Amino acid sequence: MSKSITKIGVLTSGGDSPGMNAAIRSVVRTCAFHNIECIGIYRGYQGMIEGDFKEMGPRSVNNIVNKGGTVLKSARSVEFRTPEGRKKAYEKLTEAGIDAFIVIGGDGSFTGAEIFNNEYNFPVMGIPGTIDNDIFGTSHTLGYDTALNTVVDVIDKIRDTASSHNRLFFVEVMGRDAGHIALNAGIGAGAEEILIPEEDLGLERLLESLRKSKASGKSSSIVVVSEGDKIGKSVFELKDYVEENLPEYEVRVSVLGHMQRGGAPSCFDRVLASRLGVKAVESLLEGKSNFMVGILKDVIELTPLEQAIKGEYPIDLELVRVSDIMSI
Ligand code: ATP
């Protein structure tokens, strides 16, 4: 392995997601394993600009593998979007002797890293941390599996009350541009219909499906709606629309919101975080840079940051068909 990198910085950036702490732990311990220094960069790129750094050793990441959020804190930095801001960041990194960094975040954070790499030829690696699973080059982003489990758990609880009162619930889940959470959690929780940004079900088909559901003797109905669903109505507008057109239904709305981003990471996310962290550090030590470390068909793979940013991980259309069959 190349010895040119001796000190690696690690930061979390953009929205937090469960599994970020497990990834920080993995990066720190992999550095220690290879006798490389590791520096925690606090508050994302803003902390990089301000030199908010702290040395991290294997014992400084005790007992965080199971914790949601991020011990390094996260932030959105407007200043890093400017050449002046990035120059300050470069000066702070150089002053501290940091010669590469690993950013755990979403596509915005990767864009910042790529621009920085192009400007300063500074070695960077990305680890995908976002619950939306909307990044090309990885079948799973950190936090996605945990978010799915959280959503399924909550919908199970909502169904208890829905079936006690013969109600229809619209449950809004996160996913402005990608319906991964809605589709998978919807199938897992037995939703009657799932509305996602990638497919326009159409209002008429939704009504038809709900009519059929009632006629077939179902005692409750759950419709999972992705934030950015294509049907073009908010969950509250959908409620009004259905109540106007199907007066036999008593409709309620539940917007799950930020609870989906919190909580202890699932075992899957902890293992994934550990694997991605190891690969990110070792790839830098092998002289690689400007990649995202992801997982595809259970193999840890590198994808150029540029591709990871521009592409997206598509939903599996077979899942849409499975969902239709399950809601018969
Ligand atoms: P999430 O999926 O939660 O939105 P993200 O990483 O996409 O995560 P962003 O807010 O888009 O979150 O980006 C995080 C940070 O990355 C920004 O606050 C900014 O500091 C940096 N960043 C994003 N885009 C750019 C850019 N074009 N140039 C420089 N820096 C950027």
Side-chain angles (χ1 to χ4, degrees), residues 169-191:
F169 265 85
F170 283 107
V171 181
E172 186 190 273
V173 301
M174 281 186 169
R176 233 180 292 278
D177 306 306
H180 294 287
I181 293 180
L183 188 54
N184 285 274
I187 291 174

Side-chain angles (χ1 to χ4, degrees), residues 222-248:
I222 305 279
V223 176
V224 177
V225 185
S226 204
E227 274 173 320
D229 81 282
K230 260 235 170 67
I231 222 162
K233 284 190 186 291
S234 75
V235 269
F236 297 100
E237 290 166 340
L238 279 174
K239 170 189 188 300
D240 292 344
Y241 181 82
V242 169
E243 280 182 337
E244 267 166 36
N245 288 279
L246 301 175
E248 65 271 32

Side-chain angles (χ1 to χ4, degrees), residues 13-15 45 75-77 80-81 86 105-109 111-112 115 130:
S13 170
Y45 290 122
R76 300 192 199 266
S77 168
F80 195 77
R81 292 175 182 269
R86 292 192 293 274
D107 54 358
S109 304
T111 305
I115 293 173
T130 163

